[in-house]
Amino acid sequence: MSGREAILNKVRAAIGTAPEDAARAKIVKKRLANPPVGVIPARGQLPEEERVALFCLMAAKVSATVERVRKPGDVPKTVAAYLRSRNLPASVRMGADERLETMPWKALKSLEVKHGPATADDEVGVSHAIAGVAETGTVVLHSGGANPTTVNFLPEHHIVVVDAKEIAGDLESVFARLRQTFGKGKMPRTVNLITGPSRSGDIEQKLLLGAHGPRALHLIVVDGG
Amino acid sequence: MQITSPAFKENARRALSDAQLQKALGHVRSGFIDKRQYAVEALPEFDALRDSARAIKDHTLAHLDLYLEAYEEKVKKAGGYVHWAETAADARNVILEICRAAGARTVTKGKSMITEEIGLNEFLEKEGVRPVETDLGEYIIQLRGEHPSHIIAPAVHLTRDQVEADFRRAHDHLPVARDLSEPESLLGEARRVLRYQYFQADVGITGANFLVAETGSSIIVTNEGNGDLTQILPRVHVVVASIEKIVPTLEDVSQILRLLARSATGQDMSVYTTLSTGPRRPGDPDGPDEYHVVLVDNGRSSMLGTEFQDMLRCIRCGACMNHCPVYHAVGGHAYGWVYPGPMGAVLTPSLVGVDKAGHLPNASTFCGRCEAVCPMRIPLPKMMRHWREREFSRGLNPATQRYGLRAWAMFARRPKLYRLASSFGIPLLSFFKGRKGSFRYLPLAGGWTRHREMPAPEGRTFMQQWRDRDAQKQEARA
């Protein structure tokens, strides 16, 4: 008997059921097809402007830095200003995300934009989130041909662009949107929910920013996105 | 790993007299409790979420076979492999095979308690595959040849000075004169040293906080980002997870996520919550080529349908040990196996046998704080009592204890006899109490008087005083 059958048989024996029990199968099928929504905190259930404000507040609380810009075209110069303010080299790593691609990066002659997955030497990565979660100040990113996951983790600084109108009140709304985009029960290889820059409290419980992931997380919220 | 749970008393005694350890444990007492309290108070729906999460897990466990099958189907559809391991040995062998097939010489590891449980590191090393722990705490204890003393803060038993000494010893290729006086410099050094390892590794092994039946995703929840680098840089990603990690849907995950970080570290949300589904897709610029999930039973199915089933709701947040006076006093290593604190006192006897781990459910004052803070509402004290009952009925505790309990039970079942005996005993003790009103030594109660004095009774039994009180009331009314 394979490990699979042995485990399933033990589980069934413990529950006291047979594999052909149709009623149980129906319950499971129904829940997977129509997931019941549980308790949603009131905190994030706000009109758009307040929701975005809450998102910014919660992100700042977890040590992300947040900036709001009026339109997508403002993003490149905001990125360049961030690099200058942190004394970073004028070079960023990004994928080929179409929302980023349409921004006027080329207008900034001194800024080098490297495309493709991140390497160990990249200091700054730029990504576009598909959504934000106001409840916790979280940004949501996913992998795909134009979105390497390494950009989110290898560089010391991670700059994430998010459209204000994509900021949801709660996590459930974002998952519902992912379902719409990729089809029910399907997911891209990686979905990253990122809440602040990386940290560790492993030495004497002292919280330190910048463990293995980025030391700094800079969020650019685009209002007219 | 070697089980030292049978020597709990000796372990505890050593822990209590270990000054370094006691200094380090001070950080547990001061750190975790306030942070959790603050985060919980800031979310009015917290208790409603606990009820919701309990219902989710109870439902899942009642349909576990079906959700496991549904999950497996989704993983396969996404191009991943599912391996079923009945025992720790099965799991180790499957993982080794995957490593061998990948030609792996180095594997990086994200933090995972299940790989501690199955003794993976020692096994891989013996078989010529080098495991490198990448979580800072896990990395530190790996350098020391130790095991975690806490399920979410594995190196909580160590002080900064000890970590500095370990780094100087292990990183002997770095300049001796470097400054490591601050925790920041230690973290920076670990970051640089491990950065290189991620790129060296052929296989990355992580655990999972959740396995989602709806999508076939495995989820890790971390703060450092090491788990993510572990699973995106090597060619092969192996997820090791026990079967009770299954949850039905993404909505269910959302419910439990709101409890997990708040209960563990007092964060609203951990920094990185990552859902992984299958290997990299055609056209993806990075990510692993292979994705394997090793589903481990190792004793879980034997807990299903018993009085210990509720323990399978555990999400490994560590809140029970953070609030446990016994854990605060002796730390995690005294418990003698992988899982310490109240959750360990229930889980360890289930997984290794009450004959070996019988001391653990006895090492409790039943103060109930563990149950009060458990996000999954697991009745930990009740289950420790169940273990004590089993221990007693199998005759595993010492003879003096058993006869003592029998003698007490004999009186307790006969109220008249009990009252008669106490009406002799109490005045007798009261007579001998001396001027201090307490005893430094009492025959048959040496376990008590060795550590503290026994207060002497006032001279009358409770029942006698109760009768007097009633009589006085009657008089007052009359």
Side-chain angles (χ1 to χ4, degrees):
Chain A
M1 188 167 44
S2 74
R4 181 183 191 279
E5 290 318 303
I7 292 173
L8 288 174
N9 286 346
K10 273 204 265 181
V11 168
R12 287 192 193 108
I15 296 172
T17 180
E20 54 278 359
D21 185 342
R24 288 174 74 244
K26 214 171 134 189
I27 293 170
V28 166
K29 221 172 154 184
K30 198 177 141 208
R31 190 173 180 118
L32 292 175
N34 295 302
V37 178
V39 179
I40 310 262
R43 185 195 281 178
Q45 309 306 303
L46 298 164
E48 183 176 325
E49 192 40 49
E50 289 163 55
R51 198 163 69 224
V52 175
L54 176 67
F55 169 82
C56 296
L57 179 79
M58 295 308 285
K61 260 172 102 174
V62 292
S63 308
T65 46
V66 191
E67 224 174 326
R68 292 180 74 163
V69 300
R70 276 185 34 245
K71 53 183 197 299
D74 294 343
V75 169
K77 63 180 186 213
T78 310
V79 168
Y82 175 83
L83 300 183
R84 278 195 305 275
S85 73
R86 301 291 197 284
N87 284 326
L88 292 162
S91 169
V92 294
R93 166 70 64 181
M94 66 176 77
D97 187 282
E98 55 181 29
R99 291 157 298 189
L100 293 176
E101 291 287 285
T102 54
M103 294 171 182
W105 299 97
K106 296 226 164 64
L108 298 169
K109 296 258 163 8
S110 60
L111 182 68
E112 181 194 17
V113 178
K114 292 181 281 184
H115 290 281
T119 68
D121 305 320
D122 294 325
E123 288 202 50
V124 182
V126 179
S127 317
H128 203 297
I130 55 153
V133 185
E135 184 186 349
T136 48
T138 303
V139 282
V140 185
L141 299 93
H142 66 73
S143 61
N147 286 295
T149 303
T150 40
V151 174
N152 307 345
F153 291 97
L154 281 173
E156 298 236 332
H157 293 254
H158 190 203
I159 300 175
V160 180
V161 183
V162 60
D163 287 337
K165 67 174 190 313
E166 306 289 354
I167 292 171
D170 51 81
L171 197 51
E172 281 86 341
S173 305
V174 174
F175 283 143
R177 223 180 287 166
L178 275 172
R179 241 180 233 135
Q180 261 181 2
T181 311
F182 293 95
K184 228 194 123 29
K186 291 189 191 133
M187 291 287 260
R189 149 69 196 171
T190 304
V191 176
N192 294 122
L193 312 178
I194 300 178
T195 314
S198 94
R199 64 199 63 197
S200 174
D202 273 346
I203 300 174
E204 293 192 344
Q205 296 289 293
K206 190 178 171 205
L207 188 67
L208 303 172
L209 294 185
H212 297 280
R215 259 177 233 282
L217 177 70
H218 188 64
L219 305 179
I220 301 177
V221 179
V222 183
D223 281 317
Chain B
M1 71 186 266
Q2 190 81 31
I3 301 178
T4 67
S5 306
F8 176 80
K9 288 186 180 176
E10 187 43 47
N11 295 346
R13 207 166 292 137
R14 216 177 310 121
L16 285 165
S17 57
D18 181 338
Q20 284 269 25
L21 174 66
Q22 291 301 324
K23 185 179 166 215
L25 285 172
H27 298 292
V28 181
R29 290 188 283 259
S30 60
F32 285 114
I33 294 176
D34 294 348
K35 283 187 229 158
R36 174 196 169 275
Q37 180 77 12
Y38 183 76
V40 167
E41 280 171 5
L43 187 73
E45 294 89 351
F46 191 79
D47 277 337
L49 282 159
R50 290 169 80 187
D51 295 334
S52 169
R54 174 176 57 187
I56 289 166
K57 279 284 188 179
D58 284 347
H59 164 83
T60 312
L61 292 170
H63 302 85
L64 187 59
D65 51 328
L66 298 166
Y67 282 120
L68 283 166
E69 287 175 324
Y71 167 76
E72 178 190 38
E73 196 190 316
K74 287 289 180 185
V75 176
K76 285 182 172 170
K77 261 198 189 148
Y81 301 91
V82 179
H83 311 266
W84 301 69
E86 254 190 289
T87 63
D90 292 349
R92 289 192 297 262
N93 288 326
V94 168
I95 297 164
L96 179 65
E97 269 173 47
I98 299 169
C99 291
R100 289 252 163 92
R105 297 174 59 184
T106 302
V107 303
T108 40
K109 286 186 67 208
K111 188 174 159 22
S112 147
M113 290 311 293
I114 185 76
T115 60
E116 291 287 340
E117 180 185 319
I118 64 173
L120 185 63
N121 286 4
E122 291 88 339
F123 177 76
L124 288 179
E125 257 166 61
K126 206 181 73 205
E127 299 292 334
V129 179
R130 189 173 64 101
V132 179
E133 295 287 352
T134 62
D135 170 87
L136 177 61
E138 292 280 349
Y139 177 68
I140 293 167
I141 58 170
Q142 189 181 29
L143 291 181
R144 299 173 64 85
E146 289 182 350
H147 293 279
S149 68
H150 188 290
I151 60 173
I152 66 157
V156 78
H157 59 288
L158 300 173
T159 60
R160 196 213 58 84
D161 297 347
Q162 289 171 297
V163 178
E164 177 178 346
D166 294 328
F167 276 23
R168 289 197 181 280
R169 181 175 48 77
H171 306 154
D172 55 6
H173 59 287
L174 296 173
V176 178
R178 70 194 189 279
D179 179 17
L180 288 179
S181 57
E182 292 301 318
E184 285 85 349
S185 44
L186 293 167
L187 175 65
E189 180 160 314
R191 179 185 167 107
R192 285 188 296 277
V193 169
L194 285 167
R195 214 18 103 93
Y196 174 73
Q197 303 289 346
Y198 294 120
F199 287 97
Q200 286 283 303
D202 312 283
V203 173
I205 300 176
T206 67
N209 294 84
F210 307 95
L211 304 172
V212 190
E214 176 194 357
T215 57
S217 310
S218 56
I219 300 183
I220 57 169
V221 176
T222 72
N223 276 322
E224 295 186 5
N226 64 305
D228 288 276
L229 290 170
T230 297
Q231 66 178 33
I232 53 181
L233 291 172
R235 210 178 57 71
V236 179
H237 176 199
V238 181
V239 178
V240 189
S242 48
I243 54 174
E244 85 282 10
K245 295 286 166 193
I246 292 265
V247 287
T249 67
L250 294 169
E251 274 73 6
D252 299 320
V253 171
S254 309
Q255 296 291 293
I256 303 175
L257 275 177
R258 292 196 178 97
L259 300 170
L260 178 56
R262 288 184 173 92
S263 301
T265 52
Q267 291 166 283
D268 285 355
M269 183 97 172
S270 300
V271 177
Y272 301 112
T273 300
T274 300
L275 292 77
S276 302
T277 316
R280 75 155 87 175
R281 305 298 153 78
D284 277 2
D286 51 21
D289 295 326
E290 283 178 38
Y291 175 76
H292 298 263
V293 181
V294 182
L295 284 175
V296 185
D297 181 345
N298 202 34
R300 270 72 175 175
S301 59
S302 310
M303 294 165 70
L304 264 182
T306 72
E307 65 264 55
F308 302 108
Q309 170 166 322
D310 290 346
M311 191 61 217
L312 297 174
R313 290 203 298 266
C314 177
I315 54 172
R316 308 287 191 267
C317 69
C320 59
M321 58 198 74
N322 293 342
H323 291 76
C324 177
V326 178
Y327 182 93
H328 287 172
V330 301
H333 284 157
Y335 290 80
W337 199 54
V338 180
Y339 302 104
M343 60 79 70
V346 174
L347 192 59
T348 307
S350 306
L351 300 183
V352 306
V354 70
D355 51 327
K356 293 198 190 78
H359 285 311
L360 307 190
N362 283 291
S364 166
T365 62
F366 282 166
C367 71
R369 282 166 89 189
C370 51
E371 184 176 359
V373 298
C374 175
M376 305 306 287
R377 297 200 189 280
I378 300 170
L380 290 155
K382 186 176 100 183
M383 286 189 286
M384 285 184 233
R385 266 197 297 274
H386 287 318
W387 277 123
R388 292 184 188 186
E389 281 160 28
R390 285 209 185 181
E391 195 189 28
F392 187 82
S393 64
R394 284 176 55 185
L396 291 171
N397 32 7
T400 47
Q401 207 178 76
R402 283 207 313 282
Y403 291 130
L405 275 172
R406 286 233 170 83
W408 181 82
M410 199 266 285
F411 283 101
R413 277 200 217 102
R414 296 168 179 81
K416 276 192 188 146
L417 193 62
Y418 191 99
R419 274 171 224 162
L420 185 70
S422 55
S423 69
F424 286 118
I426 299 288
L428 194 69
L429 280 173
S430 180
F431 180 78
F432 282 111
K433 72 184 173 199
R435 254 187 307 164
K436 270 179 72 185
S438 59
F439 295 96
R440 275 212 193 149
Y441 175 73
L442 258 187
L444 300 175
W448 177 290
T449 52
R450 202 175 306 133
H451 302 287
R452 52 225 184 279
E453 297 191 349
M454 174 81 147
E458 287 299 319
R460 296 168 61 75
T461 70
F462 174 80
M463 293 301 284
Q464 287 165 344
Q465 292 185 50
W466 187 259
R467 259 201 311 273
D468 290 355
R469 189 170 157 277
D470 260 6
Q472 275 167 12
K473 264 196 202 162
Q474 297 261 343
E475 238 167 71
R477 235 176 274 152

